[in-house]
Amino acid sequence: MSVTCLLNLEGLQGNPFFEFSVTSKTLQEAAALALEGTGWEVGECDVTKIRNAGMINCNSLQVIENLCLAYMCDHSFDTIHKKVNFYQKMGKRRGAYFIDGLNLKKITRESDSYDYYTRIIPIGANGITIEEVNGGKNYLENYQYSNKVLTYIWKDESYTDAQILMEDAAEKLKEMSAPAETFACEIVDLAGQRKDFG
């Protein structure tokens, strides 16, 4: 028997915006505006950046997803307490671990070495670029994985400040400049073999 569950986000999906726009707001302030009238509220939020964001013809759920892109963060929904939590990076310690020679039977690593970039050219609203805050260069580079020049042009009309545009472009490039890696593990469930673990 298998059970599939979906989060109940109908209160967010049913709250329309013909236009949603925030200028120089924290994520907490922007999300509070997006959640107004839904019965939901902002829960935890460790993101302190100030950014601009906007959308047209959308609902509160779509705005929340868009805000996560604009503020470069992760989110989770607490449907019981009707709260949206925002984190710079999300991850949890689940109390599980594996050790070669103890419970690790097999591990495989896959890497996609085709989809990465080492240079980014960021462009904001009204064509603003980063030359004035980046020593005259309109690009940033990160060669953590390869010394090949692979250029990505990133345009986002929500940026009106060259310094903030450069900071977020550097953060974006840090992730884009290394290939994606995934690990698949086959382990022995030692806890499942003991009745006192449960």
Side-chain angles (χ1 to χ4, degrees):
M1 174 178 170
S2 68
V3 178
T4 303
C5 300
L6 295 174
L7 294 174
N8 182 359
L9 303 174
E10 291 172 358
L12 302 178
Q13 294 168 316
N15 189 48
F17 284 97
F18 293 109
E19 181 178 2
F20 179 88
S21 179
V22 291
T23 305
S24 299
K25 298 284 185 193
T26 65
L27 176 57
Q28 183 135 8
E29 293 169 328
L33 288 172
L35 296 173
E36 214 169 80
T38 64
W40 286 67
E41 62 183 7
V42 178
E44 295 179 36
C45 181
D46 68 3
V47 182
T48 57
K49 297 175 183 174
I50 294 174
R51 296 292 181 266
N52 305 332
M55 288 183 79
I56 58 170
N57 302 326
C58 54
N59 60 42
S60 290
L61 180 59
Q62 291 168 320
V63 171
I64 292 298
E65 301 289 344
N66 188 57
L67 289 176
C68 288
L69 293 174
Y71 288 82
M72 295 184 174
C73 65
D74 297 326
H75 69 288
S76 69
F77 296 105
D78 178 348
T79 56
I80 294 172
H81 301 101
K82 293 195 172 184
K83 291 186 178 183
V84 185
N85 303 305
F86 297 95
Y87 307 98
Q88 291 179 44
K89 290 283 181 194
M90 198 162 63
K92 290 184 180 178
R93 290 188 181 271
R94 301 194 179 271
Y97 61 92
F98 47 86
I99 299 172
D100 192 20
L102 178 63
N103 61 344
L104 179 62
K105 290 170 67 177
K106 179 180 173 185
I107 185 167
T108 55
R109 174 183 166 194
E110 290 184 17
S111 179
D112 179 358
S113 60
Y114 293 103
D115 191 20
Y116 71 95
Y117 296 92
T118 57
R119 178 182 286 180
I120 191 168
I121 301 173
I123 303 168
N126 301 315
I128 69 164
T129 56
I130 61 171
E131 284 100 331
E132 66 182 65
V133 293
N134 191 40
K137 293 180 182 176
N138 72 339
Y139 61 87
L140 298 170
E141 296 173 306
N142 188 324
Y143 296 105
Q144 65 173 320
Y145 173 74
S146 168
N147 59 4
K148 295 177 183 176
V149 177
L150 302 168
T151 304
Y152 180 79
I153 298 173
W154 177 49
K155 188 169 186 178
D156 190 325
E157 295 282 335
S158 68
Y159 289 90
T160 56
D161 182 294
Q163 181 66 40
I164 292 173
L165 176 63
M166 184 177 76
E167 289 170 9
D168 282 3
E171 196 173 322
K172 189 172 186 71
L173 184 60
K174 185 177 179 183
E175 291 184 9
M176 295 175 68
S177 60
E181 289 187 325
T182 56
F183 295 88
C185 302
E186 191 178 320
I187 62 170
V188 176
D189 183 7
L190 297 176
Q193 295 176 5
R194 294 188 53 179
K195 292 180 182 176
D196 53 335
F197 284 3

